[in-house]
């Protein structure tokens, strides 16, 4: 693998909706919306990193379902990879790096100001939401 830093993000689905998270930091990204996630740590698989990041950022347990094809440049040396994910338990709350969350139906996807690098993955996530909804939420 190269020396690029991989950032994983989750297109989190629940009840036919996609979760959007509004950045509160850093200042140049604050107020824009993204798919939640974060950096891959040494020794983690991308799927493990996604589960950890969603737990840390949102306080939920989620299950990665499928990788959305593609890879997007965030800044020099950083690339974004996105997985669809479904909630297993918990109600998402903005715990780290976000100040607001919204559940968006497919017809509401374009009502928030997405970060530019998230737009291709969001478009694909919305298409998948319309054509193949994730399985129903499991409650333990």
């Amino acid at each position: 693998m190269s020396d690029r830093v991989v950032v994983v993000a989750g297109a989190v689905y629940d009840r036919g909706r996609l979760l959007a998270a509004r950045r509160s930091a850093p200042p140049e990204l604050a107020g824009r919306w993204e798919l939640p996630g974060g950096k891959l740590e040494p020794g983690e698989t991308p799927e493990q990193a996604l589960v950890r990041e969603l737990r840390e950022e949102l306080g939920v347990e989620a299950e990665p379902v499928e990788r959305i094809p593609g890879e997007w440049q965030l800044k020099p040396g950083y690339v974004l990879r996105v997985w669809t994910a479904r909630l297993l338990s918990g109600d998402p709350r903005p715990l780290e790096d976000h100040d607001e969350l919204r559940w968006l139906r497919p017809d509401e996807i374009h009502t928030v100001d997405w970060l530019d690098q998230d737009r291709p993955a969001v478009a694909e996530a919305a298409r998948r939401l319309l054509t193949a909804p994730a399985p129903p939420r499991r409650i333990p």
Side-chain angles (χ1 to χ4, degrees):
M1 186 161 156
S2 72
D3 57 358
R4 293 180 305 170
V5 175
V6 174
V7 176
V8 297
V12 180
Y13 297 128
D14 190 38
R15 290 172 267 194
R17 301 168 302 163
L18 177 67
L19 185 64
R22 188 171 69 184
R23 296 285 315 197
S24 56
E28 64 271 16
L29 301 179
R32 307 270 316 267
W33 293 78
E34 69 176 358
L35 299 171
K39 292 188 221 52
L40 188 67
E41 299 291 343
E44 281 183 320
T45 66
E47 292 86 354
Q48 289 168 334
L50 181 61
V51 169
R52 175 185 54 75
E53 286 287 346
L54 294 176
R55 185 181 302 130
E56 290 173 0
E57 289 191 358
L58 306 174
V60 298
E61 293 301 318
E63 175 182 56
V65 176
E66 174 186 17
R67 177 151 175 221
I68 291 179
E71 182 174 275
W72 298 276
Q73 184 82 24
L74 295 176
K75 59 185 179 182
Y78 287 76
V79 294
L80 175 67
R81 296 180 186 165
V82 179
W83 276 256
T84 60
R86 66 180 173 143
L87 281 182
L88 298 178
S89 65
D91 291 314
R93 300 178 316 281
L95 302 177
E96 286 184 8
D97 300 324
H98 302 104
D99 62 4
E100 187 179 339
L101 303 176
R102 285 190 197 163
W103 286 107
L104 303 173
R105 293 186 314 270
D107 63 333
E108 297 172 320
I109 293 295
H110 300 293
T111 63
V112 300
D113 183 18
W114 293 99
L115 291 171
D116 295 338
Q117 60 269 20
D118 280 41
R119 289 178 190 274
V122 167
E124 184 60 24
R127 188 185 68 74
R128 288 165 188 253
L129 192 59
L130 283 169
T131 59
R137 183 174 180 177
R138 283 198 318 228
I139 304 296

